Amino acid sequence: QVQLVESGGGSAQAGGSLRLSCVASGNMYGVNVMGWYRKPPGQERQLVATVALATGAEYAESVKGRFTVTRDNNRNTVDLQMNSLKPEDTAVYFCHAHRTFPTAKDWWGPGTQVTVSS
């Protein structure tokens, strides 16, 4: 099992910055992908940014150039630096971990609220 705990959510004005952090604990064997998803009000959960050991970082088009995801394999953390925030970035942000072997499995953090005001 893997446990994920997020921190760093909160409120910001448009154009501001926030940084989210996620710490993973438990058996990380085979966990090749970690990253962030978000669920805006009234919408489905959507990819924000992920980091795969083999292929590196991947971003949603809506956050490219504004958000940066970093992963520290030694500390089992994945952070999301969010700059130039927009009101449409308002959402609950979830940390995610994906294990590819020996069997595929996904874990999610409880989520942290990010609110951006105009």
Side-chain angles (χ1 to χ4, degrees), residues 6-28:
E6 304 106 337
S7 62
S11 300
Q13 298 233 322
S17 299
L18 286 173
R19 186 178 183 89
L20 305 182
S21 295
C22 175
V23 179
S25 60
N27 185 2
M28 295 294 288

Side-chain angles (χ1 to χ4, degrees), residues 23-35:
V23 179
S25 60
N27 185 2
M28 295 294 288
Y29 178 73
V31 175
N32 286 332
V33 184
M34 292 187 69

Side-chain angles (χ1 to χ4, degrees), residues 29-87:
Y29 178 73
V31 175
N32 286 332
V33 184
M34 292 187 69
W36 293 89
Y37 286 68
R38 67 186 181 188
K39 188 179 185 306
Q43 299 184 40
E44 298 294 317
R45 186 153 51 187
Q46 56 191 227
L47 169 75
V48 178
T50 61
V51 182
L53 290 177
T55 57
E58 174 184 331
Y59 295 92
E61 284 296 326
S62 60
V63 306
K64 280 184 180 178
R66 300 188 298 121
F67 291 11
T68 302
V69 62
T70 55
R71 179 176 176 180
D72 186 327
N73 293 321
N74 292 324
R75 297 189 300 128
N76 288 331
T77 61
V78 60
D79 294 346
L80 184 69
Q81 178 65 43
M82 304 185 292
N83 298 329
S84 302
L85 284 163
K86 303 176 180 180

Side-chain angles (χ1 to χ4, degrees), residues 39-44 87-92 113-114:
K39 188 179 185 306
Q43 299 184 40
E44 298 294 317
E88 50 264 42
D89 294 320
T90 294
V92 179
Q113 177 70 45
V114 170

